[in-house]
Amino acid sequence: MPSGWPERLGVHPPIEAYDALDSTNAEARRRAEAGEGGPVWITAAVQTAGRGRRGRAWSTQRGNLAATLLTTTDRPAAEAAQMSFVAALAACDLADTCLGPGAARLKWPNDVLVHGRKAVGILVESGARPDGRLWLAVGIGVNLAHAPQDVERPATAFADHMAIRPPEPAAALAVLADAFERWRNAWTTQGFPTIAAGWSDRATGLGQRCEARLPNRTVTGVAEGLDSDGALRLRLDDGALERITAGDVFFGGA
Ligand code: BT5
């Protein structure tokens, strides 16, 4: 390659692979708190204490993908949180690659469902650095080979929908990391509306009734779509609009 050649589009940050970790997000946090800024992808074949949102657990069996992008941003925290939609779109692209276009749908805020069942979970954590910037840990768990049976909501794995073997985690991460760069680049150059449009095209449940379990109460209404910052616009039965910024939503019991 000639010297001074521009960086190849789609080149992703380096990947550091472990055989086992407690949690790739926990490892990213430890590194961030020790001053590391990334960007780096951290992956582990097995997680012994994988975590979901709000203190919940995430199971990662061998053959599945657990990966976290540790990176640093100058964006304010509320805006940086939009990275979870970038992650969901990248995971949807990975699902499209493995299962064919359209097999995966996105459920607010950032689950990836395959035939209505959860196949991918995303956990974004962040913290302030001494220099005032923000570190972000964007954790993505993909059920490539196995789905747990003992979970509250139905889960599935890519393998359940493929005639051939699912990709190895390392191969899947290469596809995911490239897709992530493409969407992150779109977010940077075109802003959140491009991400919101991509997400909405692939979303499930928009226009449908749903129940939103918020940290301190539960509300029901019709999910109208994404607000300009990523909040879910929920039209309540009395006609009022509620912006959901955190919580879990359930459509038709799923
Ligand atoms: C999530 O939380 O969906 C976020 C999961 C993020 C996992 C990645 S793996 C790499 C990185 N390192 C980590 O430690 N975490 C990230 P939430 O929406 O709270 O869903 C958690 C719930 O999903 C649990 O309470 C279970 O009911 C269910 N669950 C657990 N493991 C699952 C799996 N493998 N597949 C589907 N559902 C699962």
Side-chain angles (χ1 to χ4, degrees):
M1 188 184 289
S3 64
W5 194 259
E7 209 186 6
R8 180 170 72 86
L9 263 183
V11 165
H12 59 69
I15 294 172
E16 291 188 29
Y18 293 77
D19 187 55
L21 276 176
D22 50 354
S23 144
T24 54
N25 265 43
E27 173 65 13
R29 175 180 287 272
R30 285 190 289 270
R31 289 180 179 214
E33 288 176 349
E36 194 174 326
V40 60
W41 281 98
I42 299 163
T43 186
V46 172
Q47 293 190 118
T48 52
R51 54 200 198 207
R53 294 177 302 135
R54 302 162 82 187
R56 293 184 288 236
W58 181 263
S59 80
T60 307
Q61 297 176 62
R62 204 170 279 278
N64 285 353
L65 175 64
T68 299
L69 175 67
L70 170 63
T71 187
T72 306
T73 179
D74 289 318
R75 292 180 189 254
E79 206 178 296
Q82 294 169 357
M83 189 79 107
S84 70
F85 294 95
V86 170
L89 283 164
C92 196
D93 282 358
L94 172 64
D96 282 354
T97 304
C98 298
L99 308 173
R105 307 299 294 175
L106 302 177
K107 174 170 165 278
W108 192 92
N110 46 28
D111 286 349
V112 181
L113 307 183
V114 174
H115 297 295
R117 292 168 166 252
K118 182 159 168 168
V120 177
I122 293 167
L123 174 67
V124 179
E125 297 178 294
S126 63
R129 289 163 47 93
D131 62 6
R133 303 178 79 204
L134 205 65
W135 61 261
L136 280 179
V138 185
I140 308 176
V142 184
N143 296 336
L144 296 170
H146 313 281
Q149 301 301 314
D150 56 345
V151 283
E152 202 189 339
R153 301 272 143 194
T156 194
F158 286 9
D160 300 339
H161 311 277
M162 295 176 70
I164 56 170
R165 284 163 61 93
E168 294 297 323
L173 179 53
V175 173
L176 180 74
D178 271 345
F180 196 100
E181 270 332 275
R182 281 194 302 275
W183 285 110
R184 196 187 53 75
N185 192 45
W187 184 40
T188 307
T189 56
Q190 297 155 38
F192 188 64
T194 299
I195 299 304
W199 188 91
S200 303
D201 282 348
R202 296 161 178 79
T204 183
L206 297 186
Q208 290 177 25
R209 286 194 68 72
C210 78
E211 178 181 285
R213 292 188 200 154
L214 312 182
N216 51 0
R217 69 206 160 92
T218 296
V219 290
T220 54
V222 173
E224 284 190 347
L226 279 191
D227 222 341
S228 56
D229 58 353
L232 181 69
R233 293 163 57 89
L234 188 68
R235 185 66 61 183
L236 304 181
D237 296 339
D238 66 4
L241 183 72
E242 173 116 18
R243 280 169 34 85
I244 311 292
T245 55
D248 295 300
V249 299
F250 300 93
F251 296 94

